[in-house]
Amino acid sequence: MSAHRLASAVATASITQPPSSLDYFVDRGFRSLTVIAAVLIILLVGYILWQIGGQAAPAIAEYHLGFLTSTTWDVQQARFGILPEIWGTLYSSLLALLIGGFFGLGVAIFLTQEFLPAKLAVVFRTIIEMLAAIPSVVFGLWGIFVVIPAIRPIANWLHDVLGWVPFFATSLSGPGLAPATLVLAIMILPTVAAISQDALHLVPFRTKEAAYGMGATRWEAILKVIVPTAAGGIFSAMVLGFGRALGETMALAMLIGNSNQISLSLFSPAQTLASLLASHFPEAGQVEVQALMYAALVLLAITLVVNIAGIGILTVTQRKISGKS
Amino acid sequence: MNKANLATAPATPAPIIPNLKRSIADRRALRSTLLSGCCWIVALIASIPLFSVLYMLIVKGGARLSLELFNELPPAGFELGGGFGNAIVGTLVMVGIAALISIPIGILAAVYLAELGPESRLAQWSRFLSKVLTGFPSILAGVFVYATLVLAMGTYSALAGGVALAVLMLPTVILTAEEAMKMVPRKMKDAAMGLGCTRTQMIWKVVLPTGLPGILTGVILGIARVAGESAPLLFTALFSNYWLNGLREPTASLSILIYNFSSMPFENQIELAWTASLVLVIMVLVFNILSRLIGRPRI
């Protein structure tokens, strides 16, 4: 086609044309909207901090830092303290991380190191992700009617035989730290497994090949080469799983026993910050609500620190690995 | 090598051909096999809870499943029968409000993060804070909305519940929508710009339609996550034993119903709690499967 005919064809067709002024106007407007939406996220987080802090301010002025170290929760005398709750939150989350982190890492290794043919691996991965989809209250209900009866005989046997060990010092009558921790571990397992799988996938194939090429057995390669290479991502998976455990509310409120005491025993009832809020708020009077807001602020501070640390570690390790390979 | 070379070359030992077969009794191989066995056991144990939960839901929840559940109101303490129709309606209404709020804002923010300013400071902060918000404890979202909406409106309301759920749904929508939009091939976007589109036209005509499956996946995943939430509703929508009368009143929801009934000493309530759990889990699993089907890569 000659240039002349091409030019005339384009001129009459006019599919392409410069944007009209309406188009420019709409373009500017839409782009500003998106900027506003992105700014909104930042403002939202700031607003959340400001609101919860503002609600907690009267209680902070009233109880100061003694709130964090006192152990009484007396509505009549208006003396409040959340030390048992802070202990309960950290203890239960740590134990849950030990169990859930171990099993989550195991599942991640199982899924990424070709223990299953590819199609079955997809099925198993779906099973683990379905576990993440089950709501917290359903886990709580299941915990009450399945986990507690299941571990009660074991717990009481441990208490009878090994009662001198501080971990087994009390008997399990119903809700307590042990069933709550077990259910919490089940709930963070999918989180840890998913992020660990991503970390293990990021290990370069050459590294794996090099390990096997030097004659390592399968588990020597996994434990001495692959997992250490993915260690940064796995660590961030643990931190994020810990963060998730800290904020978990409903299953714990139903299983942990709601009792303000500090005890090393795995079978005693306890209380976490989140379960304190969930169980006391619905019927709280004005004074108690302010104390609860202070507790909410403490919970916010703890979870923010842990989550920011986890995401920071994840971002840095992802950048390092993709930079190296 | 022939004998002549052998006579003159320095004495080298015969080449060792390594035996690549590892005998099972070799200590390292044995350790590896044992660890593999442990790994299988770990994986099996990890899958027990899901099957146990599903089993209990189907057996105990399914026993009570009937059509009247969807028409009747929750029973009081000593009553028999009853259902949780108002709870289902409440959950759907609040999830709907959450979707209405978080989908537009989420997609707009994702457009900015993916297209209009991916490397800018605003985008980096926005992305970082969205990731932080995904790990936000759900009960604190309830406390936040209590501090703002409930105190301002003077009453617990379904609207406040919906807003709390929107706060929880927003980060999921933003992050998955951004991923979906980043997957759109550069050539398609360049072609649109080359034809004279403004950036908005390019986004509306190329990026959004192409990224729609991924965006929908994120939206549905967000809905699935938020439908099962109960902690934020404790502070915002509370509970009600009656049908939904308007958005400015407390509402029942499936998750709070399960929470309340689970602690009651009545057999009827416990059965209803199991059935409500079954309905809730079916809802959430259907959404999850839907999101997988829609998000399947089609290229």
Side-chain angles (χ1 to χ4, degrees), chain B residues 240-274:
Chain B
S240 138
N241 280 314
Y242 307 106
W243 292 99
L244 185 61
N245 230 341
L247 287 178
R248 298 176 69 105
E249 294 189 2
T251 323
S253 53
L254 276 175
S255 29
I256 303 280
L257 182 111
I258 300 170
Y259 177 60
N260 286 346
F261 278 12
S262 67
S263 54
M264 288 191 185
F266 303 113
E267 193 54 49
N268 186 28
Q269 259 77 348
I270 305 280
E271 284 176 17
L272 279 180
W274 279 108

Side-chain angles (χ1 to χ4, degrees), chain A residues 107 111 116 120-134 189-190, chain B residues 43-44 46-51 54 285 292:
Chain A
V107 163
L111 279 173
L116 283 180
L120 282 183
V122 168
V123 168
F124 189 65
R125 188 179 174 149
T126 312
I127 291 179
I128 301 295
E129 283 173 8
M130 289 296 135
L131 201 60
I134 294 188
L189 191 156
Chain B
L44 279 170
S47 36
I48 290 179
L50 179 72
F51 291 122
L54 287 178
L285 283 184
R292 260 162 234 279

Side-chain angles (χ1 to χ4, degrees), chain A residues 1 34 37 51 71 89-90 109 126-127 130 170 173 197 212 236 242 245 248 255 272 279 292 296:
Chain A
M1 229 163 129
T34 60
Q51 276 290 334
T71 58
T89 308
L90 292 174
I109 292 177
T126 312
I127 291 179
M130 289 296 135
T170 62
S173 54
Q197 276 178 62
Y212 284 117
S236 78
F242 184 62
E248 187 47 59
L255 292 172
T272 67
S279 52
L292 287 174

Side-chain angles (χ1 to χ4, degrees), chain A residues 27 129 142 215 219-220 250, chain B residues 22 28 36 52 200 230 292:
Chain A
D27 181 40
E129 283 173 8
W142 175 72
W219 277 90
E220 281 173 358
M250 295 316 277
Chain B
R22 236 190 262 278
R28 290 161 60 209
S36 290
S52 172
T200 305
S230 45
R292 260 162 234 279

Side-chain angles (χ1 to χ4, degrees), chain A residues 109 113 200 203 207-230, chain B residues 22 28 32 35:
Chain A
I109 292 177
Q113 301 305 317
L200 287 168
V203 171
T207 311
K208 275 195 256 187
E209 279 185 336
Y212 284 117
M214 288 180 66
T217 61
R218 185 174 217 168
W219 277 90
E220 281 173 358
I222 292 177
L223 289 178
K224 296 190 182 174
V225 177
I226 298 175
V227 167
T229 311
Chain B
R22 236 190 262 278
R28 290 161 60 209
S32 182
L35 281 174

